[in-house]
Amino acid sequence: MFAGCDFRWFEPLRRNSEIFTEAYLKDLIEHDTSFAGRSIQQVYHVDFFDISGKMLAGGDSWCFRTDRDI
């Protein structure tokens, strides 16, 4: 399930601009919870660039994968 995101903006986004991205899995964090037993937090990072290669923004987003009853 989606849990949140955090972005940093370095430049404004202009209408009709071409935007390119680079994304990767940044971290996997195991949690023990009373709600769902074992839970894995997946953190992804993405950088946004304009056509000249200037970084416009960067950010992390995270979601959780949880155990389920069978």
Side-chain angles (χ1 to χ4, degrees):
M1 73 185 105
F2 176 79
C5 58
D6 182 26
F7 286 92
R8 290 187 179 177
W9 300 92
F10 306 112
E11 298 290 334
L13 298 180
R14 307 271 186 225
R15 186 174 61 184
N16 298 325
S17 294
E18 288 188 60
I19 298 172
F20 300 92
T21 61
E22 292 179 3
Y24 59 88
L25 177 63
K26 181 177 177 179
D27 207 355
L28 293 172
I29 305 164
E30 186 171 352
H31 298 273
D32 288 318
T33 70
S34 59
F35 169 74
R38 190 173 72 140
S39 173
I40 304 294
Q41 180 182 7
Q42 293 176 268
V43 181
Y44 291 93
H45 182 82
V46 63
D47 290 318
F48 298 86
F49 302 92
D50 68 10
I51 197 158
S52 71
K54 180 189 260 187
M55 184 184 284
L56 304 173
D60 293 335
S61 64
W62 50 94
C63 65
F64 285 89
R65 307 283 182 179
T66 61
D67 282 341
R68 294 177 44 174
D69 289 337
I70 295 176

